[in-house]
């Protein structure tokens, strides 16, 4: 006959997520305890026996089990009192009460006070194992529901807004990948929040207290990109009047985010590959190797594999970077998230503009949900700001949104129209006069507007303007120099 211990050791309990379950049996009849113990052990469970109520409470305090089999009549403490203690301290812990024949009313009372089920002694092995199995299965399902509820009830995650299932998947990927040093490759359409994703990876991980450095590879001329990433020494090129640390040095210990990485030139792709492999680099114009310990996160709105097939992106670099892929869903696939995001930015922009638009009408919400949002969250932001700036009142209507979504000639959707200058026609009536500005200003505005429209992608803006990308890079450099 097995001994009846008072308090279990660490070996007497197991993780409830495994195949076995730890069970506490509170039974003062030694012979019955031995029989039921044998039934449960043969079924693969780990069982701790307690002959008194006080011993059972000590077990609960030391290591709560996955299930309790509780005799209602004990020599020292009323079993109902123990049941009440369990319900108060461990509300999700299932309790199956055991009672003698003729005490069924007592068992029913126990069920009303929170017991999962009851067994009338004596009972067979099958009856015991079915009851225990059902109780443990219910516990497992409860735990799964709690996990899913926590995930789905998470409407925000760092800079993200939205509780849709696609975004819950993204949040889970970020949490799982954050602690690793492996490179993360973020893909998704423009405006889906790739930099927010990179920042969340940094903030969730062990490097959160170190620098987070972001570079948009499409917004910097190719000839300056190497210096931007790796730095340069004095005299490396015209205008390099002093040594300058690059992003690799500034991000040391932290995270380097390379947005639009497919814009890197082939030669720089090779240098980046070597840096990823060795952690070593040289500044532009320098001869001394430097080391940097960084986690690299990159992103693109293109299909990276298509870029590899087209010969524009190195295959070996792709596989070095594409270790943990995260795809951000477009706004049109995120269901009700669009309303939560729209409400957030309405509150933010009305506060910034000192307006009083407090909510959306039902028709406006329907329009928000049905629109395709090709520009994703960035387009939604622009549309809402447009509405807030040009309207007043208590509610945003569908008409307001439609006006913002319908671009005027020469203006993108969501972009506020420029003020029209007025003059006189000599009869005292105001008339609209064309604004005449220098051609160089118009050219600069057209170029910058095209680059903004393409989300900083200079080659794409050059294609729309039907000029060579190098022409735009030279103009950008010239304008920056004049601005300085």
């Amino acid at each position: 006959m097995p001994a009846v211990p008072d308090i279990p050791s660490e070996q007497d309990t197991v993780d409830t997520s495994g195949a076995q379950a730890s069970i506490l049996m509170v039974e003062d009849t030694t012979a019955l305890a031995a029989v039921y113990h044998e039934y449960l052990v043969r079924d693969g469970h780990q069982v701790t026996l307690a002959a008194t109520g006080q011993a059972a409470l000590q077990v609960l305090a030391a290591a709560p089990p996955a299930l309790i089999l509780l005799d209602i009549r004990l020599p020292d403490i009323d079993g109902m009192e123990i049941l009440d203690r369990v319900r108060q301290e461990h509300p999700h812990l299932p309790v199956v009460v055991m009672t003698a024949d003729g005490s069924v009313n007592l068992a029913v009372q126990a069920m009303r006070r929170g017991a999962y089920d009851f067994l009338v002694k004596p009972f067979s092995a099958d009856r015991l194992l079915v009851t225990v199995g059902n109780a443990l299965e219910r516990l497992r399902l409860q735990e799964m529901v709690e996990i899913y509820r926590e995930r789905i009830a998470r409407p925000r995650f760092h800079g993200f807004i939205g509780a849709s299932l696609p975004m819950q998947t993204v949040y889970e990927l970020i949490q799982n990948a954050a602690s690793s040093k492996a490179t993360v490759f973020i893909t998704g359409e423009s405006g889906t929040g790739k930099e927010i994703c990179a920042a969340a990876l940094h903030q969730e991980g062990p490097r959160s207290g170190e620098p987070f450095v972001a570079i948009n590879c499409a917004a910097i001329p190719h000839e300056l990109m190497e210096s931007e990433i790796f730095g340069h020494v004095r005299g490396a090129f015209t205008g390099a009047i002093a040594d300058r640390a690059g992003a690799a040095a500034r991000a040391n210990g932290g995270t380097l985010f390379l947005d639009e990485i497919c814009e890197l030139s082939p030669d720089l792709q090779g240098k980046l590959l070597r840096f990823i492999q060795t952690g070593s680099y040289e500044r532009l114009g320098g001869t001394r190797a430097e080391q940097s310990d960084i986690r690299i996160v990159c992103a693109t709105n293109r299909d990276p594999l298509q870029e590899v097939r087209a010969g524009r992106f190195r295959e070996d670099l792709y596989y070095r970077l594409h270790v943990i892929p995260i795809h951000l869903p477009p706004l049109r696939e995120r269901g009700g998230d669009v309303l939560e995001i729209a409400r957030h930015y309405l509150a933010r922009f009305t506060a910034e503009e000192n307006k009083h638009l407090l909510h959306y009408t039902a028709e406006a919400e329907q329009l928000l949900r049905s629109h395709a949002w090709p520009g994703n969250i960035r387009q939604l932001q622009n549309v809402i700001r447009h509405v807030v700036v040009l309207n007043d009142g208590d509610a945003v209507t569908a008409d307001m949104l439609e006006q913002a979504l319908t671009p005027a000639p020469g203006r993108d959707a969501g972009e506020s129209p420029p003020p029209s200058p007025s003059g006189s026609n000599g009869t005292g009536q105001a008339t609209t006069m064309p604004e005449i500005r220098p051609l160089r200003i118009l050219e600069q505005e057209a170029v910058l507007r095209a680059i903004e429209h393409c989300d900083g992608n200079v080659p794409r803006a050059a294609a729309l303007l039907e000029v060579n990308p190098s022409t735009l890079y030279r103009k950008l450099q010239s304008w920056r120099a004049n601005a300085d």
Side-chain angles (χ1 to χ4, degrees), residues 59-389:
V59 170
L60 282 170
L67 171 69
I68 298 178
L69 294 171
L70 175 64
D71 188 3
I72 291 294
R73 299 193 182 279
L74 296 170
D76 57 341
I77 302 176
D78 184 4
M80 290 294 189
E81 181 180 340
I82 295 178
L83 175 61
D84 292 339
R85 287 275 298 271
V86 172
R87 293 275 63 80
Q88 180 179 359
E89 299 174 6
H90 309 279
H92 298 296
L93 200 164
V95 178
V96 174
V97 297
M98 299 183 296
T99 183
D101 188 19
S103 303
V104 174
N105 289 337
L106 196 60
V108 172
Q109 182 182 349
M111 295 278 289
R112 290 173 179 168
R113 292 168 73 162
Y116 168 73
D117 202 349
F118 67 91
L119 292 165
V120 178
K121 297 184 285 186
F123 43 80
S124 66
D126 288 343
R127 179 75 175 92
L128 173 62
L129 296 179
V130 168
T131 301
V132 167
N134 289 341
L136 292 174
E137 177 64 12
R138 182 187 181 190
L139 176 63
R140 187 184 69 84
L141 293 175
Q142 284 179 336
E143 291 174 345
M144 290 178 61
V145 168
E146 288 300 318
I147 292 172
Y148 287 129
R149 181 180 289 120
E150 288 177 6
R151 293 176 181 173
I152 294 174
R154 185 166 50 180
R156 300 197 179 198
F157 184 77
H158 294 284
F160 286 112
I161 300 171
S164 64
L165 186 57
M167 291 310 296
Q168 298 302 318
T169 301
V170 170
Y171 303 159
E172 188 76 11
L173 283 171
I174 291 173
Q175 284 190 312
N176 290 339
S179 60
S180 172
K181 190 183 176 182
T183 56
V184 176
F185 205 123
I186 307 169
T187 57
E189 297 177 7
S190 294
T192 50
K194 292 187 283 294
E195 185 165 348
I196 294 175
C197 180
L201 282 161
H202 176 74
Q203 292 160 9
E204 277 285 311
R207 298 171 180 259
S208 58
E210 302 299 329
F212 173 80
V213 179
I215 294 180
N216 187 334
C217 300
I220 300 172
H222 288 177
E223 57 268 24
L224 298 180
M225 181 57 71
E226 181 176 355
S227 171
E228 189 68 28
I229 295 177
F230 298 123
H232 61 255
V233 299
R234 178 180 179 183
F237 53 85
T238 303
I241 59 176
D243 291 355
R244 180 178 182 272
R250 300 198 305 275
N252 188 26
T255 302
L256 174 60
F257 174 52
L258 298 174
D259 196 8
E260 300 303 341
I261 193 165
C262 289
E263 299 295 334
L264 289 182
S265 62
D267 60 325
L268 190 51
Q269 290 178 30
K271 293 180 180 179
L272 179 62
L273 176 62
R274 179 179 178 274
F275 173 55
I276 294 172
Q277 292 172 330
T278 66
S280 176
Y281 67 93
E282 293 179 1
R283 298 192 188 194
L284 184 63
T287 58
R288 180 172 60 88
E290 300 184 36
Q291 293 285 326
S292 183
D293 173 25
I294 61 175
R295 203 249 180 106
I296 290 183
V297 178
C298 60
T300 182
N301 59 10
R302 302 184 187 182
D303 181 348
L305 267 180
Q306 183 59 39
E307 295 297 302
V308 171
R309 296 188 190 103
R312 292 186 291 266
F313 199 77
R314 292 181 59 133
E315 185 175 13
D316 48 2
L317 178 59
Y318 167 79
Y319 286 113
R320 274 286 180 176
L321 295 173
H322 205 268
V323 179
I324 303 176
I326 296 179
H327 179 73
L328 298 183
L331 189 55
R332 62 184 174 275
E333 296 178 3
R334 293 176 54 182
D337 285 358
V338 64
L339 295 182
E340 293 303 314
I341 298 169
R343 290 169 186 146
H344 168 79
Y345 285 110
L346 179 63
R348 171 177 161 183
F349 295 153
T350 51
E352 291 177 1
E353 301 292 338
N354 196 26
K355 293 295 187 76
H356 302 287
L357 292 161
L358 302 177
H359 65 278
Y360 298 94
T361 65
E363 293 79 8
E365 289 191 348
Q366 178 60 35
L367 178 57
L368 287 168
R369 291 190 64 126
S370 61
H371 191 69
W373 301 110
N376 294 293
I377 298 172
R378 188 177 296 118
Q379 181 191 13
L380 178 61
Q381 289 176 322
N382 290 342
V383 167
I384 296 172
R385 185 178 285 280
H386 174 101
V387 168
V388 170
V389 169

